[in-house]
């Protein structure tokens, strides 16, 4: 599509659009959208009226997803454009003398590649609070124009009535509008479920908020009480779904469904409603215990972070002091090397400097991880996630590396200062290696146990 034509249709520039009237039927976007699709998508009612006046044949033209301009307007929630498209289709019927059942109904019943009609799209997006009234008006226009249409399910086995019930309280008005204007709408959903199954799962916000509100469940039961007896593919009735979400004691939803359907609906060859309600109680208790455990874990992690931070700060202080208290001292004689390290050329001294620097850097990074871990632990209200655990174990690993490095630094510094006496230097280094060997042994046992536990849990 020409860029000027697209910009004119999307920005509502009717004057520029009139300059391209001779190209409206041949110009399309990469997705096969016509100028009418674009104007309907962006809510440009004046452009829509101008295009329909000149080229009404674009009314039923589809894009690459088999969507008409009506699909676009219904999805975006533009009732004035929906009404203009329907009126234009009616005008075409009168001109062709086709009477009722022509262009208008064909457009209203058209489906895209997903099997969605324009009503599917309007109902699916009606949960936006700021634009709910617009979508509700779109639903009234679409259902009121073709009340005899049953509005069958799409490729996902969802009917518009099921989609409205699935939205819970925000979809009550849409559901009531469909039931009021359509004579016999279909109510099926995926998995053999009905709109009442969906309502029992998503209707709790209105029933338990403490204020009387109209719920989808009550609307459906008033419309068709037999829905309470219909089971899904697993043999579950809507009452089973309600039992899995709330305990039936004092529950208005349970009372309405039991009175409306009778006591026999409470039994199933495999699952009993009372058992499901008890199971729901147990699940909530387990969830509460898990939340309490998370709070305890968060408190423990904060204490561990504080402990690690003290240890890391101590190591950083030792390594900082060792960097200025140089082994062997400085050269005090006058000359070029005055103030330089006496043992600067010794290999053992070079090893000391490197290992001391490693210990210093690891301890500082560990302190940083502990500070950020504490900050996130307090910020997220006693919630510990994988990110905090990764910070903790990262700080532990860095402290372990720092401790290894500081041991090597001590051994290297001792050897550098006692190089004149090999026997004394070696004996000192061997003694210093004893805690290092014990430390390595304990670390190996810990890693092997951790790996064995992980392997056993995987099986």
């Amino acid at each position: 599509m020409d860029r000027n034509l697209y910009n004119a249709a999307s920005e509502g520039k009717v004057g520029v659009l009139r300059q391209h009237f001779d190209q409206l039927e041949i110009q399309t976007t990469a997705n096969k959208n016509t100028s009418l699709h674009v104007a309907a998508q962006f809510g440009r009612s004046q452009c829509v009226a101008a295009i329909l006046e000149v080229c009404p044949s674009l009314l039923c033209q589809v894009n690459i997803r088999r969507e008409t301009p009506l699909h676009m307007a219904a999805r975006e929630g533009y009732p004035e454009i929906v009404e203009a498209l329907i009126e234009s289709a009616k005008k075409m019927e009168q001109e062709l003398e086709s009477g009722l059942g022509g262009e208008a109904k064909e457009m209203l019943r058209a489906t895209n590649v997903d099997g969605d009609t324009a009503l599917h799209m309007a109902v699916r997006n009606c949960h936006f609070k700021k634009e709910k009234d617009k979508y509700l008006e779109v639903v009234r226009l679409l259902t009121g124009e073709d009340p005899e249409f049953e509005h069958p399910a799409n490729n996902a086995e969802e009917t518009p009535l099921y989609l409205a019930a699935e939205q819970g309280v925000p979809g009550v008005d849409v559901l009531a509008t469909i039931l009021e204007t359509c004579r016999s709408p279909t109510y099926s959903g995926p998995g053999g479920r009905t709109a009442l199954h969906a309502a029992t799962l998503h209707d709790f916000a209105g029933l338990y908020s403490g204020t009387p509100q109209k719920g989808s469940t009550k609307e459906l039961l008033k419309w068709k009480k037999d829905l309470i007896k219909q089971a899904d593919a697993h043999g579950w009735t809507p009452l089973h779904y309600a039992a899995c979400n709330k305990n039936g004691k004092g529950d208005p939803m349970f009372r309405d469904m039991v009175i409306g359907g009778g006591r026999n609906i409470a039994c199933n060859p495999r699952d009993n409603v009372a058992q499901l309600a008890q199971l729901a109680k147990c699940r909530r208790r387990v969830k509460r215990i898990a939340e309490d455990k998370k709070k305890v874990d968060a408190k423990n992690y904060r204490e561990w972070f504080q402990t690690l931070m003290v240890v890391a700060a101590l190591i950083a202080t030792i390594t900082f002091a060792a960097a200025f208290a140089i082994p062997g001292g400085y050269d005090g004689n006058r000359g070029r090397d005055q103030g330089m390290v006496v043992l600067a050329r010794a290999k053992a001294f070079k090893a000391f400097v490197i290992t001391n620097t490693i210990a210093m850097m690891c301890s500082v990074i560990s302190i940083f991880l502990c500070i950020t871990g504490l900050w996130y632990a307090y910020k997220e209200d006693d919630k510990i996630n994988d990110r905090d655990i990764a910070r903790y174990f990262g700080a532990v690993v860095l402290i372990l590396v720092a401790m290894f490095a500081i041991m090597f630094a001590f051994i290297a510094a001792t050897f550098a200062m006692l190089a004149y006496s090999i026997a004394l230097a070696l004996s000192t280094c061997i003694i210093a290696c004893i805690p290092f060997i014990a430390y390595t042994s304990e670390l190996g046992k810990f890693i092997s146990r951790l790996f064995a536990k992980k392997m056993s849990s995987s099986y």
Side-chain angles (χ1 to χ4, degrees):
M1 178 180 290
D2 182 73
R3 180 177 296 180
N4 294 330
L5 176 59
Y6 181 87
N7 291 337
S10 61
E11 297 174 6
K13 299 178 180 179
V14 180
V16 179
L17 187 66
R18 293 184 185 277
Q19 300 174 7
H20 298 81
F21 274 172
D22 57 332
Q23 302 178 9
L24 294 180
E25 293 185 352
I26 58 176
Q27 289 278 355
T28 60
T29 65
N31 293 328
K32 303 298 181 182
N33 284 324
T34 65
S35 55
L36 186 58
H37 282 91
V38 178
Q41 180 181 0
F42 288 94
R44 308 302 179 185
S45 56
Q46 293 181 352
C47 289
V48 169
I51 294 171
L52 291 175
E53 183 180 353
V54 177
C55 193
S57 60
L58 298 179
L59 195 63
C60 293
Q61 189 165 336
V62 297
N63 60 12
I64 197 171
R65 288 184 52 81
R66 296 213 320 261
E67 294 174 340
T68 64
L70 185 64
H71 282 93
M72 296 284 194
R75 182 178 60 197
E76 302 299 330
Y78 296 124
E80 65 279 359
I81 295 180
V82 170
E83 186 175 9
L85 294 173
I86 295 175
E87 292 299 325
S88 179
K90 287 182 178 180
K91 185 177 179 181
M92 288 181 63
E93 291 175 2
Q94 294 174 358
E95 291 177 355
L96 297 174
E97 297 182 355
S98 58
L100 296 176
E103 295 290 333
K105 287 190 176 181
E106 181 182 349
M107 182 178 63
L108 290 167
R109 300 181 181 186
T111 59
N112 62 7
V113 293
D114 297 322
D116 289 332
T117 62
L119 184 60
H120 279 92
M121 291 188 165
V123 173
R124 187 178 286 116
N125 292 282
C126 71
H127 60 277
F128 297 113
K129 293 183 179 180
K130 295 182 179 179
E131 301 178 351
K132 183 179 178 181
D133 294 338
K134 292 184 178 180
Y135 282 104
L136 188 59
E137 182 62 26
V138 170
V139 171
R140 287 196 184 98
L141 289 170
L142 296 174
T143 54
E145 196 61 40
D146 192 7
E148 297 178 356
F149 188 44
E150 295 182 353
H151 299 285
N154 57 15
N155 296 345
E157 301 180 357
E158 298 167 334
T159 60
L161 193 64
Y162 181 88
L163 291 173
E166 199 174 33
Q167 294 178 13
V169 174
V172 174
D173 293 332
V174 175
L175 184 139
T177 301
I178 296 175
L179 295 179
E180 181 181 351
T181 55
C182 297
R183 295 179 182 176
S184 57
T186 52
Y187 48 82
S188 61
R193 295 187 293 274
T194 65
L196 187 57
H197 286 90
T200 56
L201 284 175
H202 302 279
D203 220 9
F204 293 108
L207 291 172
Y208 300 97
S209 60
T211 58
Q213 293 188 18
K214 182 172 61 175
S216 299
T217 303
K218 292 183 179 180
E219 292 294 324
L220 289 168
L221 287 173
K222 290 179 182 178
W223 174 63
K224 191 182 287 291
K225 290 185 178 181
D226 290 341
L227 287 177
I228 188 61
K229 299 179 182 179
Q230 295 192 22
D232 63 6
H234 301 285
W236 281 32
T237 64
L239 191 59
H240 288 88
Y241 280 74
C244 286
N245 283 272
K246 285 283 184 180
N247 185 6
K249 186 177 181 180
D251 192 327
M253 179 183 293
F254 268 66
R255 184 175 62 253
D256 290 344
M257 286 194 291
V258 171
I259 294 175
R263 185 171 295 183
N264 292 333
I265 61 171
C267 295
N268 180 275
R270 289 171 294 177
D271 304 298
N272 182 270
V273 173
Q275 294 174 352
L276 290 174
Q278 187 63 30
L279 178 61
K281 273 187 177 180
C282 295
R283 287 177 177 173
R284 290 194 294 273
R285 190 179 299 114
V286 170
K287 185 178 179 180
R288 186 168 58 253
I289 293 173
E291 290 176 354
D292 295 339
K293 186 177 182 299
K294 285 182 179 179
K295 291 183 179 180
V296 174
D297 290 343
K299 183 179 179 180
N300 292 338
Y301 269 103
R302 286 198 295 267
E303 294 176 355
W304 295 342
F305 273 127
Q306 293 171 357
T307 304
L308 286 176
M309 191 162 54
V310 172
V311 175
L314 182 61
I315 295 175
T317 303
I318 294 172
T319 54
F320 182 82
F324 292 95
I326 296 296
Y330 301 93
D331 189 354
N333 298 323
R334 291 182 177 274
R336 187 182 63 180
D337 295 334
Q338 185 178 7
M340 301 297 291
V341 178
V342 175
L343 302 175
R345 295 180 179 85
K347 294 182 179 179
F349 179 79
K350 294 177 181 179
F352 161 76
V353 173
I354 294 173
T355 52
N356 189 70
T357 303
I358 292 174
M360 178 71 176
M361 291 300 101
C362 289
S363 59
V364 170
I365 296 173
S366 180
I367 292 173
F368 174 75
L369 290 177
C370 291
I371 292 174
T372 55
L374 282 172
W375 185 75
Y376 280 112
Y378 281 109
K379 180 182 178 182
E380 295 178 357
D381 299 329
D382 296 328
K383 291 182 180 180
I384 290 294
N385 50 33
D386 294 338
R387 178 186 56 196
D388 301 322
I389 296 173
R391 282 192 176 88
Y392 172 76
F393 281 104
V396 170
V397 170
L398 288 172
I399 287 179
L400 294 178
V401 174
M403 292 180 68
F404 275 111
I406 205 170
M407 287 181 185
F408 279 116
F410 174 79
I411 294 171
T414 303
F415 191 84
M417 290 188 298
L418 300 177
Y420 65 90
S421 178
I422 299 298
L424 182 60
L426 288 176
S427 60
T428 304
C429 292
I430 291 172
I431 294 172
C433 286
I434 293 176
F436 173 75
I437 296 172
Y439 182 62
T440 305
S441 176
E442 288 298 321
L443 184 61
K445 291 180 181 179
F446 173 75
I447 293 175
S448 62
R449 289 177 182 176
L450 187 64
F451 181 75
K453 184 178 180 180
K454 186 176 181 181
M455 292 295 293
S456 62
S457 62
S458 63
Y459 288 105

